Amino acid sequence: MIDSLRKHVSPGWVLVAPFLMLVVVLYLGPILNILWLSLTDPEPGLQNYQKLYTNDTLLRIIWTTFRICLITTIISVAFGYSIAYAMVHAHKKRQKLMLTLLLVSFWISILVRTFSWLMLLGHNGLLNNALETLNIISEPVAFVRNELGVLIGMVHYMVPYAVLPLLVNMQTLDTRVMSASRNLGATGSQTFFRIYLPLTKPGIVAACLLVFILSLGFYVTPAILGGGKVLMVAEYISVQLLVTLKWGTAAMLAALMLFGVLALLYIMSKFMKLSTVFGGSTS
Amino acid sequence: MVGGNNAQGSLQLKKLQKKFGSFVAVDDVDLEIQQGEFLTLLGPSGSGKTTLLMMIAGFLDITSGDIELDGLSIANVPAEKRNFGMVFQGYALFPHMTVRENISYALDVRKRPKAEISARVDEMLDLVQLHEFGERKPGQLSGGQQQRVALARALCFAPPVLLLDEPLGALDKKLRVEVQEQLKDIHRRVGTTFVYVTHDQEEALSMSDRIVIMQDGAIEQVGTPQELYEKPETKFAASFLGKSNFLNLKDGLHALRPEKIDIHPAGQGDVTARATGTIRSITYFGSVQKFMVSVEGDEELEVDVDSWRNRYPLKEGQAVDLTWEDRATVKLRNG
Ligand SMILES: Nc1ncnc2c1ncn2[C@@H]1O[C@H](COP(=O)(O)OP(=O)(O)OP(=O)(O)O)[C@@H](O)[C@H]1O
Ligand SMILES: [Mg+2]
């Protein structure tokens, strides 16, 4: 009995079992509670979920959220890719400096960063003032208090998150493989598109998942840089919780996001082994 | 053959030098490599073999000196334009491609017609006997099979020169001997110039037309396996390729191979003894027996004797006479 268990359960699970229990109690519990709320508040039934068909505002918010998250993901991962590439190919000393700068950006509060953008890009911000003084523009450009502002803020916050999985992926590549490609007569761009890019696919997928999932929960940035015009799901949930007290709707939206993320992971797992995406062994 | 290389494949290295900062990794290497030759670079770890090969391949800049292909300088030709095949240390196969895709890569990037590529890949798979593995990924192959894929990939575009960096380093002893023979056979069939790096002396002896012994980035001696074994010029060459005793004679240091010494119980030899001593240890290796004999002056001589032809029942501690012919000793330079 124990032997057969041993065959099927990797011993690693035993090691993490206590923490797993902790997670189940402190994490799964509340999640189940939310699911429960979404089905029972204000009265039992599926009416909270029916709103998805009937309520246009809700649909628009979900679509906005999805669109902004998708654009943020694409831009952040593209930036992250080139930054990670530059880091991997920089000299040791410079690599350390770049890594430090990257980590520093994790330590700065999102609130501080968001307000900095407001000061930089606002109507009377540094950039608009400078451009006006230089007579390049006559009217201030609306960089913030719209979707553009939200995207700028979110991309800025997300780029470091995109860099990390890509960096790990790129660092483990065998540089001899790229040399081999050149040796076989491939040009730089052929080597990049046929060898480098496919080999960094796990890093790209991991970065996309990480950025997209984190973006879904963005709250402060859209609220401040969107100027009330860009309503995303997280902010809407908080309004339902704190202002209109429709906990059932809030719970339904939360559950929807949760299932959205799980579905995303499931689809991904159909295309590739997720453990390689998250840095596990390929065997 | 496809590939379209007109090069013959002779290489000339002229006063080639490579410095990393102030450290000299390759030092004034002068070498002529003949077309179609199997040339081995042999040397201990850190002697600059890989560095030299990487300069020939074009992955490392030359600090000074020149490299010529058929008499024309290629020092400024980038790696992807040199058309040299290369088998990397650790193979460096493309892990996301099948065996076929790996092998066809060089022709794919040259945008050859599909039919030609397919025919050539079949030819290569035949050459390395991997036909049934064409659709597998490198990760699903054994070490020996991966090695052969690397070889086929490097030979697919018919390069005039093939560079191999310890291609058998990752294989176990028995498989190694097998692959050595396959490699030698492939060399005979394709007629490409092979520049082969190894630190395994047996591999070098059994496969090469000529061997270059390297130490500290410089060439110690160049010659056929037989020349190097029978006529080593330096102490390093004598001890790195095969085993050797060293004798300090009146006119300088001499090398004496252990199997060229005859051993007899004291007083029983047919000729007068060159040295006398006592047996300190006997090791039995099957076909040969190794005797360590202490001779006067603290010295120890190794004597290897064919077990089958050994006429005497010798024991440890026994007094013995050692004899050898005049031509058995080789006078060494700078020693
Ligand atoms: N990029 C580099 N920077 C500084 N020193 C280097 C570099 N590459 C190699 N070296 C040094 O050059 C010397 C020769 O190295 P090389 O790799 O050519 O040795 P090798 O003969 O191939 O050894 P091995 O049998 O272990 O592969 C070594 O002392 C090594 O430390
Ligand atoms: Mg080496």
Side-chain angles (χ1 to χ4, degrees):
Chain A
M1 169 65 189
I2 292 208
D3 264 358
S4 75
L5 255 184
R6 243 185 225 147
K7 257 180 215 139
H8 297 293
V9 182
S10 124
W13 287 110
V14 181
L15 270 180
V16 299
F19 306 100
L20 214 58
M21 301 297 250
L22 207 68
V23 166
V24 168
V25 172
L26 295 180
Y27 205 77
L28 280 187
I31 286 178
L32 289 175
N33 190 22
I34 285 182
L35 286 180
W36 179 249
L37 262 182
S38 75
L39 293 168
T40 53
D41 187 280
E43 56 204 39
L46 283 172
Q47 70 278 18
N48 280 327
Y49 289 89
Q50 268 163 10
K51 283 185 194 152
L52 283 176
Y53 293 101
T54 53
N55 190 333
D56 280 349
T57 323
L58 214 51
L59 277 182
R60 210 184 52 232
I61 289 168
I62 290 173
W63 168 238
T64 306
T65 307
F66 180 78
R67 189 182 60 231
I68 288 180
C69 289
L70 194 68
I71 298 173
T72 302
T73 303
I74 293 170
I75 299 177
S76 305
V77 173
F79 275 126
Y81 197 90
S82 31
I83 292 174
Y85 187 89
M87 284 177 77
V88 172
H89 293 87
H91 284 289
K92 276 268 152 355
K93 245 190 190 161
R94 186 160 307 162
Q95 206 171 10
K96 266 194 191 141
L97 180 73
M98 291 169 93
L99 196 64
T100 312
L101 288 175
L102 191 79
L103 290 179
V104 164
S105 69
F106 277 110
W107 301 333
I108 303 174
S109 145
I110 187 165
L111 212 58
V112 173
R113 295 213 231 167
T114 307
F115 276 114
S116 315
W117 279 118
L118 212 54
M119 279 149 75
L120 274 174
L121 303 177
H123 263 220
N124 284 316
L126 209 58
L127 188 62
N128 270 323
N129 278 346
L131 289 177
E132 272 177 307
T133 320
L134 294 171
N135 279 325
I136 295 172
I137 52 170
S138 50
E139 289 277 294
V141 179
F143 291 112
V144 291
R145 299 194 187 288
N146 54 21
E147 205 168 305
L148 177 66
V150 176
L151 283 174
I152 292 175
M154 283 177 67
V155 167
H156 175 234
Y157 190 80
M158 279 303 167
V159 165
Y161 287 92
V163 171
L164 286 184
L166 285 163
L167 194 63
V168 170
N169 187 186
M170 288 177 185
Q171 273 169 343
T172 54
L173 291 187
D174 181 356
T175 53
R176 278 178 302 195
V177 172
M178 268 58 79
S179 297
S181 166
R182 275 182 65 201
N183 175 257
L184 291 165
T187 60
S189 63
Q190 279 173 326
T191 300
F192 180 78
F193 286 109
R194 289 177 183 230
I195 309 295
Y196 203 84
L197 199 58
L199 290 181
T200 47
K201 204 172 84 183
I204 296 174
V205 173
C208 285
L209 282 177
L210 188 66
V211 172
F212 189 82
I213 291 170
L214 286 176
S215 302
L216 282 177
F218 257 62
Y219 169 62
V220 172
T221 309
I224 296 173
L225 291 177
K229 290 177 214 145
V230 186
L231 199 55
M232 284 173 66
V233 171
E235 195 184 351
Y236 190 73
I237 290 178
S238 107
V239 171
Q240 301 302 311
L241 280 179
L242 304 174
V243 185
T244 58
L245 296 181
K246 288 186 186 156
W247 283 40
T249 313
M252 180 275 289
L253 281 171
L256 192 72
M257 294 228 284
L258 181 67
F259 287 123
V261 168
L262 289 179
L264 200 65
L265 287 176
Y266 177 76
I267 294 167
M268 280 302 170
S269 73
K270 288 279 151 196
F271 290 105
M272 57 198 315
K273 286 190 75 171
L274 277 183
S275 62
T276 65
V277 168
F278 296 117
S281 66
T282 40
S283 57
Chain B
M1 279 229 229
V2 282
N5 300 306
N6 306 317
Q8 303 291 302
S10 74
L11 281 172
Q12 295 81 36
L13 313 185
K14 301 198 163 158
K15 290 233 166 286
L16 206 53
Q17 199 193 44
K18 179 68 195 180
K19 284 186 183 174
F20 293 111
S22 61
F23 176 77
V24 184
V26 169
D27 195 9
D28 273 350
V29 165
D30 269 309
L31 188 62
E32 280 272 343
I33 304 173
Q34 316 294 335
Q35 173 192 351
E37 164 171 55
F38 196 125
L39 183 104
T40 298
L41 303 176
L42 176 70
S45 193
S47 57
K49 308 179 296 287
T50 299
T51 308
L52 184 57
L53 207 67
M54 287 299 170
M55 280 197 285
I56 299 177
F59 292 122
L60 278 179
D61 292 334
I62 296 169
T63 305
S64 66
D66 201 6
I67 303 180
E68 293 175 359
L69 176 66
D70 304 330
L72 297 174
S73 173
I74 53 166
N76 294 319
V77 179
E80 59 270 26
K81 296 267 166 61
R82 286 195 189 183
N83 285 325
F84 290 174
M86 178 142 188
V87 177
F88 287 79
Q89 213 165 359
Y91 315 140
L93 295 174
F94 306 132
H96 59 299
M97 295 184 180
T98 64
V99 169
R100 282 195 83 90
E101 288 165 342
N102 264 282
I103 297 176
S104 66
Y105 188 79
L107 298 181
D108 283 338
V109 297
R110 286 172 174 75
K111 307 211 161 60
R112 292 307 176 104
K114 284 249 157 47
E116 179 195 316
I117 294 179
S118 170
R120 179 66 180 166
V121 172
D122 284 333
E123 202 180 312
M124 284 295 120
L125 284 171
D126 275 342
L127 183 72
V128 297
Q129 297 162 19
L130 282 175
H131 234 120
E132 59 272 44
F133 298 103
E135 300 311 319
R136 291 216 199 162
K137 296 272 176 72
Q140 302 164 313
L141 298 176
S142 73
Q145 290 163 343
Q146 290 183 18
Q147 192 273 331
R148 283 182 278 159
V149 175
L151 191 65
R153 182 180 70 173
L155 285 172
C156 190
F157 61 108
V161 177
L162 183 68
L163 310 170
L164 304 103
D165 194 357
E166 310 214 15
L168 311 185
L171 306 183
D172 64 51
K173 187 92 186 157
K174 198 159 169 236
L175 191 58
R176 222 182 237 230
V177 176
E178 211 179 295
V179 181
Q180 278 172 26
E181 274 161 27
Q182 289 169 353
L183 206 56
K184 196 66 194 139
D185 185 48
I186 288 172
H187 172 249
R188 253 180 246 121
R189 282 158 65 186
V190 296
T192 299
T193 310
F194 275 37
V195 182
Y196 188 96
V197 164
T198 182
H199 56 237
D200 182 318
Q201 43 150 318
E202 279 171 39
E203 216 168 277
L205 280 174
S206 67
M207 300 175 80
S208 325
D209 294 325
R210 281 196 306 155
I211 299 172
V212 178
I213 299 185
M214 292 188 65
Q215 189 196 11
D216 295 338
I219 293 183
E220 190 80 9
Q221 191 178 350
V222 186
T224 64
Q226 196 168 1
E227 278 166 5
L228 288 182
Y229 190 80
E230 301 296 342
K231 293 263 177 298
E233 286 172 4
T234 64
K235 188 170 181 182
F236 179 81
S239 56
F240 196 73
L241 198 72
K243 292 179 293 187
S244 188
N245 296 301
F246 296 101
L247 304 173
N248 239 325
L249 304 180
K250 279 179 296 273
D251 61 336
L253 194 68
H254 288 244
L256 175 59
R257 299 287 184 196
E259 74 278 8
K260 297 182 181 177
I261 304 178
D262 289 315
I263 189 166
H264 317 270
Q268 284 187 31
D270 313 329
V271 284
T272 46
R274 299 262 190 167
T276 57
T278 52
I279 298 175
R280 195 182 55 72
S281 72
I282 305 175
T283 318
Y284 181 72
F285 288 103
S287 64
V288 293
Q289 277 166 287
K290 183 177 95 174
F291 297 88
M292 295 305 299
V293 179
S294 323
V295 295
E296 53 269 32
D298 289 341
E299 267 188 89
E300 252 188 13
L301 290 182
E302 180 179 339
V303 181
D304 288 351
V305 178
D306 229 335
S307 306
W308 180 251
R309 282 170 231 292
N310 184 12
R311 289 178 279 166
Y312 313 105
L314 295 166
K315 288 200 181 60
E316 287 181 5
Q318 191 171 346
V320 287
D321 288 346
L322 302 179
T323 62
W324 57 83
E325 294 175 37
D326 280 335
R327 64 188 181 102
T329 57
V330 181
K331 186 175 177 323
L332 301 174
R333 173 155 60 80
N334 66 25

